[in-house]
Amino acid sequence: MDIAIDDLTGETFNLQTFRDLYDRGEFVMNGRPPQAQYVDDCGSNKGCSFYVGQRGHKQLNIYEKGKQLGDPESGHTRCELRLYAKRIDLPNDVLRNPGKYFAGSYPMLAAYVVGEAERLLTKEQMVNASAKAMVRFLRNQAGTALNLVMDALGDDAVEFLMEHVVRDGRPGRMKNVVGDLPALVRAQLQTIPSQEAA
């Protein structure tokens, strides 16, 4: 069972918050600290991760979700608790009251369970990161080629691109988004400053 809380801006918590909590001994239970591992993205801006606990029992994974989705400036951080039924029976109640189990796994986590997350806001943040990544990909991978096509064909460039380049479907990172995806993407694209879109 995975239970996650998100800080969409990184203002309440971030990866360093949990590293500091670990260093202060806040994860110690039964007199011993659980195993911990920090995975650095080595400057790639694809997002770092910090693991507390062990697979197969109880593991907390804190990672830079916005960066994972392709936005290197994002502060979006996810704190995900993984509970395994290997050593204990997980009751059905964990599905009805996930916050209670999240808060109970390590005492200091109770401070971060403040209510139900708004799914729409989380979806908008994920689409925002994906839209920025899509623009960055187009600029880096095809920007000069598209510029040349537009210079060569002028007013006919859009029709040519629609006929020979554009294809049906959604980018892989947006396949599971429900609702009016074009409207969500349009709203996010309109917020990208001109220097990012240029």
Side-chain angles (χ1 to χ4, degrees), residues 65-96:
K65 184 67 177 174
K67 290 183 179 181
Q68 180 204 43
L69 290 171
D71 182 359
E73 291 90 35
S74 176
H76 181 177
T77 305
R78 175 166 289 174
C79 181
E80 183 175 283
L81 175 68
R82 298 169 181 167
L83 297 173
Y84 297 85
K86 183 177 179 182
R87 297 183 186 173
I88 59 168
D89 288 329
L90 290 175
N92 289 336
D93 187 53
V94 75
L95 298 170
R96 289 186 289 274

Side-chain angles (χ1 to χ4, degrees), residues 9 15 24 28 32-33 35 52 80 88 97 129 136 170:
T9 62
L15 204 115
R24 290 199 309 262
V28 173
R32 307 182 298 197
Q35 299 175 44
V52 178
E80 183 175 283
I88 59 168
N97 298 298
R136 195 174 301 106
R170 293 179 169 189

Side-chain angles (χ1 to χ4, degrees), residues 15-183:
L15 204 115
Q16 191 60 47
T17 303
F18 289 94
R19 292 185 73 187
D20 292 342
L21 288 167
Y22 184 85
D23 290 341
R24 290 199 309 262
E26 297 287 338
F27 285 96
V28 173
M29 298 181 77
N30 301 321
R32 307 182 298 197
Q35 299 175 44
Q37 179 185 14
Y38 176 69
V39 178
D40 196 331
D41 69 3
C42 297
S44 70
N45 277 325
K46 294 191 175 179
C48 302
S49 296
F50 182 56
Y51 298 90
V52 178
Q54 57 184 314
R55 292 176 67 89
H57 176 53
K58 174 175 69 174
Q59 185 180 57
L60 196 64
N61 179 15
I62 304 97
Y63 59 101
E64 295 172 314
K65 184 67 177 174
K67 290 183 179 181
Q68 180 204 43
L69 290 171
D71 182 359
E73 291 90 35
S74 176
H76 181 177
T77 305
R78 175 166 289 174
C79 181
E80 183 175 283
L81 175 68
R82 298 169 181 167
L83 297 173
Y84 297 85
K86 183 177 179 182
R87 297 183 186 173
I88 59 168
D89 288 329
L90 290 175
N92 289 336
D93 187 53
V94 75
L95 298 170
R96 289 186 289 274
N97 298 298
K100 179 173 80 171
Y101 291 86
F102 184 90
S105 65
Y106 292 106
M108 102 293 293
L109 293 180
Y112 300 106
V113 180
V114 292
E116 295 297 321
E118 293 183 33
R119 290 179 182 268
L120 179 60
L121 184 57
T122 301
K123 178 169 68 171
E124 286 177 357
Q125 289 290 331
M126 294 176 77
V127 169
N128 181 33
S130 296
K132 284 184 176 180
M134 179 178 64
V135 169
R136 195 174 301 106
F137 170 80
L138 287 171
R139 181 179 60 233
N140 293 340
Q141 300 296 320
T144 56
L146 290 170
N147 186 49
L148 182 57
V149 169
M150 296 186 81
D151 278 349
L153 298 178
D155 293 341
D156 296 327
V158 172
E159 184 179 333
F160 177 85
L161 292 171
M162 291 300 293
E163 185 177 338
H164 297 285
V165 177
V166 175
R167 59 190 179 104
D168 288 338
R170 293 179 169 189
R173 66 177 62 232
M174 297 186 188
K175 281 191 176 172
N176 296 323
V177 176
V178 295
D180 189 351
L181 181 60

